[in-house]
Amino acid sequence: MKIVEFNYLNVPEEYPSTHLCLGYFDGIHLGHQKIIQTALNASNEVAVLTFDESPAYALGIKSSSSVLTSLADKAEILEYSLNNDCSSSLE
């Protein structure tokens, strides 16, 4: 798995055949797992775009940003799941 960190000023080159799973993915629950599994079933190239803070916090909807899963933990869980069979590694 390749981890690409970027912001809106530094967007990576396009990946034309990649299925992108976009979300905050806090906790990586069964719904998140289903999204990732569906992408893995459809393509050999899957990317997950997640965020280091809640979109609600970033948009000022929530006053504090508490997280269930740190960005480092998300990366570790997703790296394992994308390098293995997602259905067996995350459930």
Side-chain angles (χ1 to χ4, degrees), residues 23-29 32 50 54 66-70 74:
Y24 182 45
F25 297 108
D26 197 21
I28 310 183
H29 59 68
H32 299 143
T50 189
S54 164
S66 58
V67 298
L68 298 174
T69 311
S70 70
K74 286 184 207 181

Side-chain angles (χ1 to χ4, degrees), residues 37 40 80-81 83-90:
Q37 184 63 55
L40 288 168
Y80 181 81
S81 66
N83 287 326
N84 296 282
D85 177 7
C86 182
S87 62
S88 63
S89 62
L90 288 178

